Amino acid sequence: DAHFDSVVPRAQRVTGDGAPAVQAIGVQKRFGSLHVLKGVDMTVMPGTVTVILGPSGSGKSTFLRLINQLETLSGGRIAVDGELVGYRPVTRHGEECLQALNEKEIARQREKLGMVFQRFNLFPHKTALENVMEAPVHVAKESKSTAREEAINELTRVGLAERLDYYPAQLSGGQQQRVAIARALAMKPEIMLFDEPTSALDPELVGEVLGVMRSLADGGMTMIVVTHEIGFAREVGDQIVFMNGGVVVEKGGPEILDNPTEQRFKDFLNHVL
Ligand code: ADP
Ligand code: MG
């Protein structure tokens, strides 16, 4: 992709040792004439939790999807674990430029990331255990016995050891979402991305899912969480990022939730609280 090197900012280096778990620099995304992300910068250090807040349509999901290469960048750079996402730096005629990775290389990069969506998307005809075993067996080519053992571990970790053989329809929304988290963890990701994981749940089921996420964070998992749960953000977030209109309006430690600077952020917090 020779066109790409003309749009990346060259000022900052995003690769190398001691690198952030995720670093975004000047990230842009366009869908046709719709300019959705207009230069997003974000640094996520290993073992930390970043919570992204913002009104609907501000580009939060698109940003997570770019990290996980479910979308391609229109400009800027993202590095995961010190490695550029989707591209390899090469020297051509003495100049550094970027070469697009092939599908296999992209798949290998994506294995570092686990993603949990608002809708759980479990296979309805498979049990909880079979749902969690699916990718380790069919994608990672693990033996069934190894995958089964690990799936039981992951389901135990999310509090579902007693529900291994239940089908999604026999589980509550909160239990289904915990299966979805176990399914992502079964691929041993270094970083977990959560896109409004509790937004589709009945209010009484939100706590059990946030509890699992909190224990993951306590265990040192690097996480980026899009949510409207301000209590979770305050208690679990190391970094809070408020996005609006495709840009980062304000970011800082959880104290900014109680002391926002930007008017747009104040208005948002007044609405969700
Ligand atoms: P958020 O998650 O903050 O609600 P999104 O990232 O889902 O925001 O969407 C930001 C904007 O991008 C919205 O206007 C949405 O309609 C648009 N958008 C998202 N995905 C696509 C797509 N695949 N094609 C066209 N427009 C899209
Ligand atoms: Mg969204």
Side-chain angles (χ1 to χ4, degrees):
D1 190 350
H3 302 299
F4 190 82
D5 51 358
S6 60
V7 294
V8 297
R10 293 173 175 279
Q12 282 168 279
R13 222 177 136 64
V14 296
T15 60
D17 289 337
V22 177
Q23 183 157 26
I25 294 179
V27 164
Q28 307 253 354
K29 181 61 183 177
R30 289 186 180 80
F31 292 107
S33 61
L34 189 64
H35 199 177
V36 171
L37 295 176
K38 303 171 182 168
V40 172
D41 298 325
M42 203 178 298
T43 301
V44 175
M45 294 311 289
T48 67
V49 177
T50 294
V51 175
I52 303 179
L53 305 171
S56 176
S58 53
K60 307 179 299 295
S61 295
T62 301
F63 182 67
L64 290 189
R65 293 169 61 80
L66 282 166
I67 296 171
N68 202 17
Q69 301 190 68
L70 294 169
E71 305 284 356
T72 53
L73 287 163
S74 305
R77 296 187 192 194
I78 298 175
V80 169
D81 208 10
E83 195 179 292
L84 277 181
V85 151
Y87 296 89
R88 134 183 350 99
V90 292
T91 307
R92 222 166 30 204
H93 312 302
E95 272 204 273
E96 191 206 320
C97 50
L98 299 175
Q99 185 178 51
L101 300 182
N102 64 36
E103 264 178 48
K104 203 171 164 185
E105 292 166 325
I106 288 170
R108 183 183 55 73
Q109 287 190 329
R110 293 189 65 217
E111 279 179 16
K112 292 182 180 175
L113 300 150
M115 191 152 175
V116 175
F117 302 89
Q118 184 173 336
R119 288 259 146 234
F120 341 117
N121 301 319
L122 300 176
F123 295 111
H125 57 287
K126 289 181 186 289
T127 64
L129 186 64
E130 289 165 348
N131 266 282
V132 177
M133 287 174 61
E134 175 71 20
V137 170
H138 291 105
V139 180
K141 308 290 179 198
E142 285 182 20
S143 74
K144 278 206 170 162
S145 61
T146 304
R148 189 185 157 80
E149 203 172 301
E150 288 172 359
I152 292 171
N153 287 341
E154 297 305 345
L155 284 163
T156 303
R157 188 164 157 184
V158 300
L160 292 174
E162 314 296 313
R163 297 284 186 275
L164 303 180
D165 298 324
Y166 283 54
Y167 288 89
Q170 299 172 305
L171 298 169
S172 73
Q175 290 169 334
Q176 289 182 58
Q177 190 60 301
R178 287 189 280 149
V179 174
I181 294 171
R183 179 178 56 178
L185 293 174
M187 291 298 277
K188 309 216 176 339
E190 293 173 24
I191 300 159
M192 286 284 287
L193 309 175
F194 292 88
D195 193 357
E196 299 200 33
T198 61
S199 295
L201 299 177
D202 292 336
E204 71 272 20
L205 304 177
V206 168
E208 66 190 64
V209 173
L210 294 179
V212 165
M213 291 166 63
R214 178 190 304 251
S215 71
L216 257 186
D218 290 345
M221 178 63 79
T222 308
M223 298 170 37
I224 305 179
V225 183
V226 174
T227 185
H228 297 298
E229 295 291 335
I230 301 299
F232 177 87
R234 183 181 282 111
E235 288 161 32
V236 183
D238 297 295
Q239 171 175 235
I240 310 297
V241 178
F242 174 68
M243 284 178 63
N244 188 40
V247 297
V248 172
V249 172
E250 188 165 346
K251 68 178 140 190
E255 68 279 358
I256 68 171
L257 294 166
D258 299 308
N259 211 350
T261 303
E262 299 295 329
Q263 190 57 45
R264 191 64 197 78
F265 190 25
K266 290 179 189 174
D267 294 342
F268 175 82
L269 288 170
N270 283 336
H271 274 97
V272 294
L273 288 178

